[in-house]
């Protein structure tokens, strides 16, 4: 009999404005899930490793020549240049995990998410939002790492980013972190409960029991 708990891997893409808490939500989701069933997508970059960063765990660190060659080969779901360094999501690493039956979590900015959607439309796209602009301002200010000019720029960017929300499959408002994580977990469960996901396996199972 088939193992009814087995499932094909799915790519979950999380993005949203800075300060919405998408990184924290993804970290909680990974920490509270079976590591054999879900994994974090690791980006590739040309920048130098920082203290404590590990190749293959923090990032895949490569030379600019290696990165450019991978671009020519169509080896990224998305890639971009940020402050003189290249960053990208390796397609082969993601597809390998999915083929092994593991879900893959990709935390990325909105522009990157739209590129992933073009390359892998079967992904599940989740937009993380703060409960209000006032709360977002408080969160950004509370970090103590950005100037008021930078904070105001981020808030202005958030308003423009909201125009892309219809490109996503789900929206989760992160007012209470525990509730937001619960909702994200429910999305994962719902996606694996679709009839199109399970129908063939279920039919085969019942046929074997006749």
């Amino acid at each position: 009999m088939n193992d009814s708990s087995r499932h094909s891997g799915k790519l979950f893409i999380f993005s949203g404005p800075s300060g919405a808490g998408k990184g924290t939500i993804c970290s909680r989701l990974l920490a509270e899930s079976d590591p054999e069933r879900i994994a974090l997508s690791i980006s590739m970059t040309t920048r130098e490793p920082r203290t404590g960063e590990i190749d293959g765990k923090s990032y895949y660190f490569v030379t600019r020549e290696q990165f450019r060659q991978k671009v020519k080969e169509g080896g990224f779901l998305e890639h971009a240049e940020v402050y003189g360094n290249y960053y990208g999501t390796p397609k082969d690493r993601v597809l390998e995990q999915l083929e092994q039956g593991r879900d893959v979590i990709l935390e990325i900015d909105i522009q990157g998410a739209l590129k992933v959607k073009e390359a892998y439309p079967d992904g599940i796209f989740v937009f993380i939002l703060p409960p209000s602009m006032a709360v977002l301002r408080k969160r950004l200010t509370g970090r103590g790492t950005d100037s008021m000019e930078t904070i105001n720029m981020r808030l202005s960017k958030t308003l423009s980013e909201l125009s892309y929300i219809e490109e996503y499959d789900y929206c989760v408002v992160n007012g209470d972190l525990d509730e937001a994580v619960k909702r994200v977990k429910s999305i994962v469960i719902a996606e694996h409960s679709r009839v199109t996901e399970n129908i063939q396996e279920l039919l085969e199972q019942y046929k074997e029991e006749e």
Side-chain angles (χ1 to χ4, degrees), residues 112-193:
L114 295 179
K115 291 180 181 178
V116 172
K117 193 170 187 178
E118 292 179 5
Y120 194 84
D122 290 337
I124 296 97
F125 295 79
V126 184
F127 199 95
I128 305 297
L129 273 175
S132 68
M133 293 297 288
V135 170
L136 181 58
R137 177 181 288 276
K138 185 177 181 180
R139 288 178 182 174
L140 293 174
T141 304
R143 288 177 174 179
T145 56
D146 296 321
S147 66
M148 287 308 300
E149 181 181 0
T150 299
I151 290 173
N152 288 331
M153 181 182 68
R154 291 185 185 279
L155 290 171
S156 177
K157 184 179 180 182
T158 295
L159 292 174
S160 65
E161 288 175 333
L162 290 176
S163 64
Y164 295 103
I165 199 167
E166 293 183 358
E167 298 288 336
Y168 289 73
D169 302 300
Y170 298 92
C171 177
V172 174
V173 177
N174 182 20
D176 178 84
L177 179 59
D178 290 336
E179 178 63 24
V181 172
K182 182 179 178 181
R183 286 179 178 273
V184 166
K185 288 181 178 178
S186 296
I187 290 171
V188 174
I189 292 171
E191 285 297 324
H192 284 294
S193 300

Side-chain angles (χ1 to χ4, degrees), residues 44 65-76 90 92:
M44 185 171 287
E65 290 72 23
Q66 289 173 320
F67 195 99
R68 287 168 179 160
Q69 181 60 36
K70 199 168 186 69
V71 170
K72 290 180 181 178
E73 296 169 354
F76 290 106
D92 55 351

